[in-house]
Amino acid sequence: MLHLRSIIKDFGGRKLFAGINWHIRPGDRIGLCGENGAGKTTLLKMLAGTVSADGGDLHVARGTTFGYLPQDGLEHRGTVLFDEVRSALAELLKMEAELTRLEEAIALRHDEGDLARYSEVQETFRQRDGYAMEAEIGRVLRGLGFAETDWDKPCDHFSGGWQMRIALAKLLLQKPNLLLLDEPTNHLDLPARDWLEGYLAAYPFAVVLVSHDRFFLDQVVGRIVEVWNGALTEYPGNYSRYLEERERRVAALQEAKARQNEEIAKIEAFIGRFRFQANKASLVQSRVKQLEKIERIQVPPARKKITFRFPDPPKGGRQALELKGVVQRYGPLTVLDGIDLCVERGDRIALVGANGAGKSTLMRILAGVEPPVEGTRTEGHNLISAYFAQDQAKVLHAGKTVLEEITDDAPFEMVPRVRDILGAFLFSGDDVHKKVAVLSGGERNRLALAILLLRPANLLLLDEPTNHLDLKSKEVLLDSLQHYTGGLVFVSHDRYFVDALATRVVEVGDGKAISHFGNYEDFLRSKETVGDISHSRLRVETSSAPEGAGEGRGERQRSQEERKESKKNDRRRQKELAEVEEAIEALEGELAVLEGEMADPELYRDQERWRTVSARHRELQDLIADLYPRWEALQMVETA
């Protein structure tokens, strides 16, 4: 559908693309990867037609339509949300208006020409799902996180991140043949990202995207194209497979480069030795030509392995922080209503939920920068916390350079490491001598995060630390946090980051904060189980419908499909029930052993052992208390 042939592009005196060739086929799912500045965004703009090539040809198949989402900068004003998004379906709206006009004309005069035209337009409108247009708009808006109460709000009321969601909604509804997305997940929370993953996986046309979200790339793309040194290199598979294949390819190139260098050295040595001997002139000339014909192997630079370790956290109590009965409201709006949350030493808690659910509010209360209107916040023994807010960059000094700002705040023992840390957060070379005043918003956030992480603390509170970080920087931060021994509460919209780090997920929404043990994948699985239980219960309730309600071939087929689906759900539920019963039995067995130990008076003479046993006893009780409602729900479906 689209073919790039010998494309050349110069940018700022540098050859960004040196004769690239590339073919995009219908249905392709392609992720563009490469270092910052390699040309990924420029390539997307060239495909979209907003930037022209300096040489070469771009061939586009007839009928190809394009949809391009930039990283930012789009605004929508003057209309309400639903009407603005609806305007993306201009052709369908035009058909709808024509149908209305023809209906009025036919009502006045029964003209055969009007009737024929009406039939033609109506069929086209039906084939293009015009009658489901309003429902599809609602589905996309809900998927991207807009509540139905937002649909009648003027677009002017939405912030920059929501403006980009409006633009994305319009693109998805237009369904272009080639969808070009530059960081589409930048402004999405986890539920909206999950929805977009599913939408793009089922998208009927080609998608080319740039993303710093590893999990998103793994779920959506089937091919990675690496942009490096003015060329494109293709790797089949998703991002995780690309990392493996790239390592193998670079290793093979390094071996070939070493052999080539040896050969070149031999040829150059021969030329140098016999250059001035007349009887060897023809041999020397032959070697010179041979040298000129050698195509030098280019090896991608080895990715510098940057590791960062936190200063040892000060020793604190087993319980770092506790909230009891916390309520927070702003005027008539109650954001948090009776929140109980205990953060213990070594916890890694991810706060998840839709934007506006109250995650940042809960973070501010945990950090002590915002008092609740009701309830208590209790700090554990020797608590030293470090809080990274979404607007953390405001605390930086505009007159200092990047290097001065981080060096002044760094503990003495970390000063030798500050350049490595800055490199991990995308500040390299002359960037470290930039004044804070000239940094972009994203650069300031990265610097503020780097500074915060240098300070010794036994509880880190990080509100969206992965914003404005590329994949490599996220890996450095993730590795550092995995080795951190203090407590951690964080908000991140990066699914891979949350999955790899969280040991507990707290779902914030409707004023509540509900804990789920495990990572985000475990959390989603538990939600699916609840959904399956509700679905199965609905089938049980509707299975007693009177005979004759499903007459007709189509109804019988649907009924058969429903029975198959019901059996599949029953098998899944039985498996889940067995797993839950096994887990309860194991936990109750361990609990019985602990209770036997707690009955021994000798235990209380060893205070450290008593605290360990007591903490585990409470943990087991909580785990069992979480499992029993699931077991009861599964049992209820079985006995229904």
Side-chain angles (χ1 to χ4, degrees), residues 334-393:
T334 299
V335 178
L336 303 174
D337 189 11
I339 300 297
D340 294 328
L341 181 62
C342 181
V343 183
E344 297 193 352
R345 183 175 57 221
D347 271 348
R348 294 176 183 171
I349 300 173
L351 304 184
V352 305
N355 283 350
K359 302 185 298 292
S360 292
T361 301
L362 182 54
M363 270 292 198
R364 290 193 297 271
I365 291 172
L366 285 168
V369 299
E370 180 179 318
V373 296
E374 292 178 29
T376 59
R377 172 185 179 274
T378 306
E379 294 187 357
H381 171 67
N382 195 34
L383 176 70
I384 300 175
S385 63
Y387 171 51
F388 178 82
Q390 290 187 39
D391 58 355
Q392 188 69 23

Side-chain angles (χ1 to χ4, degrees), residues 44-186:
L44 278 185
K45 289 179 177 178
M46 286 173 62
L47 296 175
T50 61
V51 168
S52 58
D54 297 323
D57 300 306
L58 194 155
H59 300 280
V60 181
R62 183 178 298 173
T64 301
T65 54
F66 297 83
Y68 172 54
L69 181 78
Q71 287 189 32
D72 48 37
L74 296 180
E75 286 193 4
H76 307 84
R77 299 186 177 280
T79 54
V80 299
L81 172 63
F82 195 89
D83 290 346
E84 178 64 38
V85 174
R86 193 170 182 265
S87 69
L89 302 172
E91 288 188 39
L92 283 178
L93 293 174
K94 188 177 177 183
M95 282 188 234
E96 187 179 52
E98 186 175 1
L99 287 173
T100 301
R101 182 185 61 77
L102 287 168
E103 285 169 359
E104 291 172 353
I106 291 166
L108 290 173
R109 58 182 188 277
H110 298 286
D111 184 81
E112 288 188 7
D114 287 343
L115 285 166
R117 176 60 183 165
Y118 184 84
S119 178
E120 178 187 340
V121 175
Q122 186 185 45
E123 180 59 20
T124 305
F125 190 71
R126 185 190 63 77
Q127 287 177 355
R128 295 181 60 179
D129 292 327
Y131 291 108
M133 177 170 52
E134 308 282 323
E136 181 65 7
I137 293 170
R139 183 173 81 92
V140 170
L141 286 175
R142 279 189 290 269
L144 292 176
F146 292 99
E148 291 194 29
T149 52
D150 294 330
W151 295 3
D152 292 325
K153 288 182 182 176
C155 290
D156 312 55
H157 290 188
F158 293 99
S159 64
W162 289 97
Q163 290 283 346
M164 297 308 294
R165 293 195 195 201
I166 296 172
L168 179 56
K170 292 172 71 174
L171 274 185
L172 298 181
L173 287 166
Q174 287 170 347
K175 287 189 171 64
N177 301 139
L178 180 56
L179 193 55
L180 306 165
L181 306 175
D182 198 352
E183 295 289 355
T185 61
N186 261 4

Side-chain angles (χ1 to χ4, degrees), residues 325-618:
V326 162
V327 175
Q328 189 63 306
R329 64 174 67 94
Y330 305 101
L333 177 64
T334 299
V335 178
L336 303 174
D337 189 11
I339 300 297
D340 294 328
L341 181 62
C342 181
V343 183
E344 297 193 352
R345 183 175 57 221
D347 271 348
R348 294 176 183 171
I349 300 173
L351 304 184
V352 305
N355 283 350
K359 302 185 298 292
S360 292
T361 301
L362 182 54
M363 270 292 198
R364 290 193 297 271
I365 291 172
L366 285 168
V369 299
E370 180 179 318
V373 296
E374 292 178 29
T376 59
R377 172 185 179 274
T378 306
E379 294 187 357
H381 171 67
N382 195 34
L383 176 70
I384 300 175
S385 63
Y387 171 51
F388 178 82
Q390 290 187 39
D391 58 355
Q392 188 69 23
K394 290 180 180 177
V395 304
L396 301 177
H397 301 89
K400 291 183 181 179
T401 67
V402 168
L403 187 58
E404 289 168 347
E405 183 75 1
I406 192 170
T407 303
D408 289 352
D409 272 355
F412 178 77
E413 65 276 11
M414 297 298 288
V415 170
R417 300 288 315 279
V418 294
R419 280 186 175 267
D420 284 343
I421 304 307
L422 287 173
F425 289 98
L426 310 182
F427 294 102
S428 57
D430 292 338
D431 289 341
V432 302
H433 301 299
K434 283 183 181 177
K435 293 282 188 185
V436 171
V438 302
L439 298 180
S440 68
E443 288 173 326
R444 290 188 185 203
N445 261 16
R446 295 202 304 268
L447 177 58
L449 179 60
I451 291 169
L452 184 85
L453 298 182
L454 290 171
R455 301 169 187 164
N458 48 32
L459 177 62
L460 292 177
L461 303 166
L462 308 178
D463 194 354
E464 299 201 28
T466 52
N467 274 6
H468 310 292
L469 297 185
D470 69 355
L471 282 159
K472 187 166 67 174
S473 299
K474 286 180 184 178
E475 286 172 10
V476 174
L477 178 60
L478 176 60
D479 179 65
S480 305
L481 290 171
Q482 285 174 328
H483 286 86
Y484 172 66
T485 57
L488 171 66
V489 183
F490 68 101
V491 176
S492 174
H493 294 156
D494 186 295
R495 169 74 182 273
Y496 181 82
F497 190 86
V498 176
D499 266 344
L501 194 56
T503 57
R504 180 155 46 122
V505 170
V506 173
E507 183 183 16
V508 182
D510 298 323
K512 305 300 179 187
I514 302 169
S515 282
H516 304 262
F517 287 94
N519 62 12
Y520 191 73
E521 186 177 351
D522 297 324
F523 160 69
L524 288 181
R525 195 180 296 118
S526 70
K527 299 278 282 185
E528 285 172 7
T529 301
V530 172
D532 287 342
I533 292 167
S534 301
H535 192 58
S536 298
R537 185 181 294 119
L538 178 63
R539 292 197 182 283
V540 169
E541 289 170 354
T542 56
S543 64
S544 58
E547 289 185 15
E551 290 178 0
R553 184 177 176 182
E555 287 294 330
R556 285 196 299 274
Q557 186 176 349
R558 277 195 293 275
S559 179
Q560 186 177 6
E561 287 172 356
E562 286 177 1
R563 284 196 297 273
K564 286 181 181 177
E565 184 66 20
S566 180
K567 286 179 182 177
K568 187 193 293 184
N569 285 333
D570 283 341
R571 286 194 297 271
R572 189 185 301 150
R573 180 192 52 73
Q574 287 164 5
K575 182 182 176 184
E576 174 72 4
L577 181 61
E579 288 173 353
V580 171
E581 286 175 343
E582 185 179 345
I584 290 173
E585 185 177 352
L587 291 170
E588 287 182 337
E590 187 181 347
L591 188 67
V593 172
L594 279 185
E595 287 175 345
E597 190 174 348
M598 292 171 77
D600 185 358
E602 289 296 319
L603 172 67
Y604 302 93
R605 295 182 183 180
D606 183 346
Q607 290 296 307
E608 188 60 33
R609 176 64 184 153
W610 174 80
R611 280 194 291 270
T612 302
V613 170
S614 178
R616 180 58 179 163
H617 185 267
R618 283 196 301 274

